[in-house]
Amino acid sequence: MPIATTQSLDHEGRGIARVDGKAVFIEGALPGERVEYTVRRARPNYEQGDTVRVLKASAQRVAPRCPHYGVCGGCSMQHLDEDAQAAVKQRILEDALWHLGKLRPGVILPAIHGPAWGYRYRARLGVRVVPSKGGLRIGFHERRSSYIVDMRECPVLPARVSAMLPRLRDMLAGLSIADRLPQVEIAIGDGDVAVFVFRNLQPLSRADEKRISAFADAEDIQAWFQPGGPETATPLHPLEAPALAYTLPEFNVRMDFRPTDFTQVNVHVNRLLIRRSMQLLDPRPGERIGDLFCGLGNFSLPIARRGAYVVGVEGSDALVARALENARCNGLESLAEFHAANLFEATEDSLAALGALDKLLIDPPREGAIAVVKAIGVQVPARIVYVSCNPATLARDAAVLVHEKGYALRAAGIANMFPQTSHVESVALFERI
């Protein structure tokens, strides 16, 4: 069995070693460790493998908390100290900016930290009936597999939801359509309001409805069903219940949302990320600021609360409607407007149609915002804050802003939005030279 000493981690949290001139990516290995491993995939220029035994352990290695770790695909860094996780993600961000964009930030921002466990206020759990493996399973997908982990607990979920998983499994196993219910989406708001959305491919029987309703009463949750797309999600029990919402106390803002709306998974880090973004953006009364990929107004309303006029743009009509309603409910409708548009097809004319913008905040999905940055034309914002969930697309877009559009990359840093995983959330500041 081959042995290697790893030098660093890649963007998926795998140890990187060089053996006979070939790069080897080893699951479960940390920088500086000497490990025995098996080769899972061999190619002419690289190999992928799995750690079998750690011969010399890193001082940053810790015991994983979850019994499903190593099988479940939800986490990939539980064996690494929490502070070291943030340092690794910062290095991944800096490496991406340099190797893909030939850029170095003027300032490296301190990492944003939050709770390392129990932070995940949103989750989508797969459900599958597998008679040969003991019946119904509910959980995340196994690593590198379409199989579902039979999760009996999950320490990144809030404690009461984690403790609920065995009872949820038993309840689902007793439904008449157990094999036609492929997922359960969980959304938790402030005040411990929890909604479980059951995706049903067949109508629920009356007995099924009673079984789910009894479970909702016993666990103090709201049960919804979803027979089609996200817009079809409907309350099942109770029919009248508190709405899902999260608050941003620093900005005196409350954000209402539906359980199938996109919101940040980690409410604690989200608040800190908004604070950091507002510090970098520095919205002021009299300014007109664009918020692109604005969602339901996560950054828009804090901008407006600071007295600037915000122009939000989002591809989803439903989220635009939610943003407008949230602005109204927070008394900010006079400082905000929202538009539905496909920002992946942005042009110089479509951005100009938004009117002159003093500053810009961009918060795109993993695909990034290449069409937006290329479309920045003659009237350019003096300052851009870019919130990213993918270092590679941030680096690509940053290269356009700096090398083609006349901006400088003043600062960048990570927010550890997903502890125990290799996911890298970051924020960067660009200023017009």
Side-chain angles (χ1 to χ4, degrees):
M1 197 170 292
I3 293 173
T5 299
T6 54
Q7 286 85 44
S8 59
L9 291 185
D10 72 355
H11 67 283
E12 295 182 12
R14 301 173 298 185
I16 305 174
R18 296 203 71 84
V19 178
D20 297 330
K22 183 187 294 189
V24 183
F25 302 91
I26 307 173
E27 295 269 10
L30 297 176
E33 291 190 328
R34 188 166 177 78
V35 299
E36 195 173 46
Y37 67 97
T38 57
V39 177
R40 176 171 22 89
R41 185 178 187 183
R43 291 290 182 269
N45 298 324
Y46 71 92
E47 291 180 350
Q48 295 176 348
D50 298 296
T51 299
V52 173
R53 189 159 58 105
V54 178
L55 304 176
K56 177 187 174 185
S58 165
Q60 296 174 329
R61 178 175 284 276
V62 296
R65 181 178 294 193
C66 180
H68 306 298
Y69 186 67
V71 177
C72 178
C75 294
S76 58
M77 286 190 173
Q78 285 193 23
H79 61 300
L80 179 61
D81 174 79
E82 294 157 15
D83 290 335
Q85 291 181 30
V88 165
K89 293 178 184 185
Q90 183 66 48
R91 183 191 58 75
I92 289 171
L93 171 63
E94 293 176 44
D95 285 352
L97 288 170
W98 177 246
H99 292 300
L100 300 178
K102 300 304 176 191
L103 296 169
R104 298 196 190 279
V107 173
I108 301 298
L109 299 169
I112 295 172
H113 293 272
W117 304 98
Y119 67 83
R120 188 156 186 162
Y121 278 38
R122 296 197 69 91
R124 185 173 295 164
L125 304 180
V127 180
R128 189 163 299 169
V129 177
V130 188
S132 63
K133 294 191 174 183
L136 186 138
R137 292 182 161 216
I138 180 167
F140 296 122
H141 287 281
E142 293 182 3
R143 191 174 294 184
R144 303 186 304 274
S145 171
S146 62
Y147 290 114
I148 302 295
V149 179
D150 188 19
M151 278 181 13
R152 303 306 175 106
E153 61 181 282
C154 178
V156 297
L157 291 176
R160 87 173 182 105
V161 176
S162 176
M164 203 185 299
L165 290 176
R167 299 188 295 275
L168 176 62
R169 177 185 185 275
D170 291 344
M171 185 276 291
L172 292 172
L175 297 177
S176 69
I177 63 163
D179 61 346
R180 300 295 291 161
L181 198 152
Q183 75 180 37
V184 179
E185 188 162 358
I186 299 170
I188 301 171
D190 283 5
D192 207 25
V193 175
V195 176
F196 284 41
V197 182
F198 299 92
R199 176 76 173 94
N200 57 306
L201 301 181
Q202 287 181 201
L204 298 167
S205 69
R206 183 61 187 147
D208 290 338
E209 291 181 0
K210 287 182 177 180
R211 186 175 180 86
I212 294 173
S213 297
F215 177 82
D217 283 336
E219 303 292 348
D220 191 23
I221 65 163
Q222 298 176 33
W224 291 42
F225 66 98
Q226 182 188 329
E231 71 285 349
T232 67
T234 306
L236 172 65
H237 182 82
L239 296 178
E240 298 292 333
L244 278 171
Y246 64 90
T247 56
L248 305 173
E250 186 172 347
F251 301 95
N252 189 27
V253 163
R254 171 190 163 106
M255 309 290 293
D256 288 348
F257 64 98
R258 282 171 53 84
T260 53
D261 286 344
F262 172 80
T263 57
Q264 291 288 9
V265 162
N266 190 327
V267 67
H268 311 284
V269 170
N270 183 52
R271 288 172 176 169
L272 297 174
L273 180 59
I274 292 172
R275 174 191 293 174
R276 171 71 56 79
S277 299
M278 293 305 105
Q279 290 169 343
L280 298 174
L281 192 64
D282 190 23
R284 299 186 179 188
E287 290 182 334
R288 203 166 184 272
I289 298 178
D291 180 12
L292 306 187
F293 305 94
C294 68
L296 47 74
N298 189 52
F299 291 99
S300 307
L301 300 194
I303 290 171
R305 186 65 80 197
R306 288 289 174 87
Y309 188 89
V310 65
V311 181
V313 183
E314 169 59 49
S316 163
D317 290 314
L319 286 178
V320 166
R322 211 90 69 240
L324 286 165
E325 181 62 15
N326 279 325
R328 187 191 65 78
C329 291
N330 284 277
L332 294 169
E333 64 268 38
S334 65
L335 288 171
E337 63 181 78
F338 295 94
H339 306 277
N342 183 357
L343 290 166
F344 297 109
E345 297 178 357
T347 64
E348 188 171 328
D349 287 343
S350 69
L351 287 191
L354 300 176
L357 299 172
D358 299 294
K359 297 171 182 175
L360 193 60
L361 188 140
I362 309 174
D363 181 20
R366 291 189 60 81
E367 296 89 337
I370 190 64
V372 168
V373 298
K374 286 184 174 181
I376 293 175
V378 177
Q379 291 185 336
V380 293
R383 181 176 296 185
I384 297 174
V385 170
Y386 192 130
V387 178
S388 168
C389 58
N390 184 344
T393 53
L394 169 61
R396 177 201 65 196
D397 297 349
V400 174
L401 289 170
V402 173
H403 301 314
E404 299 178 25
K405 299 294 182 177
Y407 286 88
L409 176 55
R410 299 298 189 196
I414 68 108
N416 200 7
M417 185 73 75
F418 290 81
Q420 318 309 331
T421 80
S422 58
H423 178 99
V424 181
E425 191 91 8
S426 60
V427 59
L429 171 65
F430 299 87
E431 287 187 329
R432 182 75 172 170
I433 300 174

